[in-house]
Amino acid sequence: MADWRPSASLVNLAERAKLLAQLRAFFSGREVLEVETPLLSQATVPDSGIAVFQFPIGGGDSETRYLQSSPEFAMKRLLAAGAGDIFQIAKAFRSGEFGRHHNPEFSLLEWYRLRWDHAALIREVATLVGEVLGTEGWQVWPYRALFGELLAIDPLQRGDPHFAPASWLEIAREQVGEIPDALDRDAILDLLMSHCIEPAIRDWGVVFVTDFPPSHASLARTQRVDGIEVAARFECYVHGQELANGYWEQTDAEALTAQLNRENARRKMRGLMPRPIDERLLAAHQHGLPDCAGVALGVDRLLALKLGAERLSSVISFDWPVA
């Protein structure tokens, strides 16, 4: 076959090895323990925006295992067991995500810091990104302020979760063209973020977006900021490209259960099958997840940014078409 060669150059693969060594040195110097967790798990995230790979085990359909989309659940079980500050460089998998900035199999750097909130973790992410990319300085923008500045809308205004305001739909159609009628309020916000906000901040350098709508909390806790409830999480963008996603973690087992159930309810609303809740994760929280903040950062994207590569295939030994 003609496509046996790697998708990345050998020079870029050498740079990849240097980056992995640099990342491990960064955390070793901070006495953060490196861990490993399973790639195949009995449960997965209910997030309606993430398509996962699933496999029947034992030649039948009696048991299903999932390729992890992130090592988050297993790492939190380690935290509850007393592992302390931990990090992992792991393979992760998301079905159907292939393109210039996506590959269904990719590498994640994920780490957790005990007794930190997301604001403290932002500073460490900024330090790491600065050391790898040679950047100086960074900005923090609350989600509401960013949408107000760039689109003149309030994403935190109250409304029916099934429907977006007409003004939002008008902006989305201006930027994207025709959009599906079935898109709910959060889906429209995601569309505006990817098609309007991200292109607008390409020249802003390193940008941290904080204080997301509560419906975007995922597994983060919520808090009140200026009298408004927001999700205690952040996303890091470099030149308009999402690089990392972090939470001040939800430690309350009952609140976490409610959040997972809400994600499954969102799946049903979007015509998707609900996913089984990870009972071991809930048991770990009931035992006691320590107060902590965690973040997942795309290693392939970080290397592509460092090398100025236009496509992730340039920094992955064998990307999806030739894997």
Side-chain angles (χ1 to χ4, degrees):
M1 298 179 67
D3 59 355
W4 63 269
R5 294 183 180 277
S7 51
S9 70
L10 298 182
V11 171
N12 283 358
L13 293 180
E15 290 295 326
R16 186 182 186 90
K18 292 178 184 177
L19 174 61
L20 295 176
Q22 183 179 9
L23 295 176
R24 288 190 165 94
F26 181 90
F27 291 104
S28 176
R30 288 163 173 75
E31 297 184 346
V32 181
L33 177 70
E34 182 171 9
V35 298
E36 272 190 344
T37 55
L39 294 180
L40 281 168
S41 177
Q42 297 175 52
T44 189
V45 294
D47 192 321
S48 58
I50 297 178
V52 298
F53 292 99
Q54 61 185 72
F55 303 93
I57 301 299
D61 296 327
S62 59
E63 182 185 354
T64 296
R65 296 265 171 160
Y66 301 89
L67 277 174
Q68 65 170 10
S69 61
S70 154
E72 177 178 6
F73 286 9
M75 292 182 77
K76 286 179 176 175
R77 288 165 62 185
L78 291 177
L79 291 170
D85 293 337
I86 54 176
F87 83 97
Q88 180 172 188
I89 300 172
K91 287 291 187 180
F93 304 85
R94 298 186 183 182
S95 176
E97 296 192 11
F98 176 69
R100 194 157 64 97
H101 300 306
H102 297 86
N103 198 66
E105 178 181 347
F106 59 101
S107 295
L108 268 182
L109 165 65
E110 189 152 332
W111 75 96
Y112 293 84
R113 289 297 220 155
L114 270 57
R115 296 175 294 279
W116 286 24
D117 62 10
H118 56 309
L121 191 54
I122 282 174
R123 291 189 286 273
E124 185 164 64
V125 174
T127 299
L128 175 61
V129 170
E131 288 187 10
V132 172
L133 301 182
T135 56
E136 294 184 5
W138 38 283
Q139 304 178 50
V140 175
W141 279 82
Y143 188 92
R144 188 183 201 182
L146 192 60
F147 273 77
E149 175 75 15
L150 297 176
L151 298 178
I153 67 173
D154 181 1
L156 298 185
Q157 73 181 69
R158 294 182 178 179
D160 189 327
H162 292 81
F163 303 102
S167 59
W168 300 8
L169 295 173
E170 182 179 351
I171 294 172
R173 291 189 178 105
E174 287 176 357
Q175 297 294 324
V176 182
E178 288 302 313
I179 58 176
D181 293 333
L183 291 184
D184 57 47
R185 179 188 179 94
D186 283 333
I188 292 295
L189 284 176
D190 290 342
L191 191 69
L192 293 174
M193 174 62 86
S194 61
H195 287 74
C196 302
I197 301 293
E198 291 177 12
I201 63 174
R202 282 176 183 156
D203 297 328
W204 291 19
V206 180
V207 178
F208 290 90
V209 182
T210 64
D211 300 343
F212 282 73
S215 57
H216 287 50
S218 188
L219 303 189
R221 67 183 71 190
T222 60
Q223 61 179 4
R224 297 192 75 80
V225 176
D226 297 329
I228 302 293
E229 186 181 17
V230 296
R233 54 170 291 221
F234 66 87
E235 290 182 356
C236 174
Y237 289 84
V238 179
H239 304 314
Q241 184 179 160
E242 184 188 348
L243 180 63
N245 181 19
Y247 306 154
W248 188 9
E249 302 293 347
Q250 176 61 264
T251 57
D252 182 272
E254 290 187 6
L256 178 70
T257 302
Q259 286 172 242
L260 293 171
N261 287 331
R262 278 195 295 271
E263 288 293 338
N264 264 333
R266 193 195 313 256
R267 291 185 64 81
K268 290 181 181 179
M269 185 176 73
R270 295 180 176 180
L272 302 170
M273 290 293 293
R275 290 173 179 158
I277 299 299
D278 190 339
E279 297 296 337
R280 291 177 174 83
L281 175 68
L282 294 182
H285 275 71
Q286 289 161 359
H287 175 77
L289 183 74
D291 187 24
C292 63
V295 61
L297 182 150
V299 174
D300 308 316
R301 289 188 180 184
L302 182 62
L303 181 57
L305 286 165
K306 179 180 180 181
L307 300 181
E310 292 294 322
R311 300 184 64 87
L312 287 192
S313 57
S314 300
V315 299
I316 297 173
S317 58
F318 296 98
D319 72 341
W320 193 244
V322 299

